[in-house]
Amino acid sequence: MPGPPSAPHSPWPFGGYRLLAGTPLAELAPSADPAPAQAALAHQLGDFLGALHALPLDLAPSLAPDTLGRLDVARRRPITLASLATCGASDARAEALLDDAVGAAATHAPRLVITHADLDARHVLVDDTRRATGVIDWGDLMLADPAIDLGLAFSAFDG
């Protein structure tokens, strides 16, 4: 149940919720799961994302679009190249790939949907059979292209 700031202890609003059962998926080794178990969890999470992204936008009229430009390839290009250069991985192929991505992104307008926007293996709770029991950390909830939630695939699954 949300509440007002509790100054002088904290100037921030707070939320208290019931404890959800499960272990964060990030605490479990994905390679320990057989392929069928990973596929079942991926299907379950795909269904969840399909339902989340299909919610009518009028359910959350105050949600803002992504102000960080997480999928803005042109904006992210120099940041990505600088990061690659820092670790010695920048080369002409990376620049060409990013240039192609910038060109492709310029031809596609993002489809805005309700997104979790910070979905990774730390935010998916699973039970002992690796079935999802909940999704936590909704602090970045926003309107964005649904692709913003696909980072989960890289943090949660092998292969």
Side-chain angles (χ1 to χ4, degrees), residues 36-132:
Q38 282 199 34
L41 180 58
H43 189 271
Q44 187 182 18
L45 293 171
D47 288 346
F48 161 74
L49 286 175
L52 174 65
H53 296 160
L55 291 172
L57 298 183
D58 61 357
L59 285 179
S62 64
L63 281 183
D66 179 15
T67 57
L68 298 176
R70 295 174 202 190
L71 296 179
D72 184 341
V73 183
R75 181 174 167 187
R76 294 285 178 180
R77 182 186 180 280
I79 299 165
T80 303
L81 290 174
S83 294
L84 289 171
T86 299
C87 63
S90 184
D91 62 16
R93 292 175 302 167
E95 288 192 42
L97 178 66
L98 288 169
D99 289 342
D100 288 348
V102 169
T107 64
H108 295 21
R111 178 173 66 102
L112 294 181
V113 299
I114 296 172
T115 63
H116 182 281
D118 185 29
L119 192 58
D120 65 40
R122 296 169 301 152
H123 302 140
V124 174
L125 302 178
V126 295
D127 64 15
D128 292 338
T129 66
R130 304 282 175 108
R131 285 196 47 84

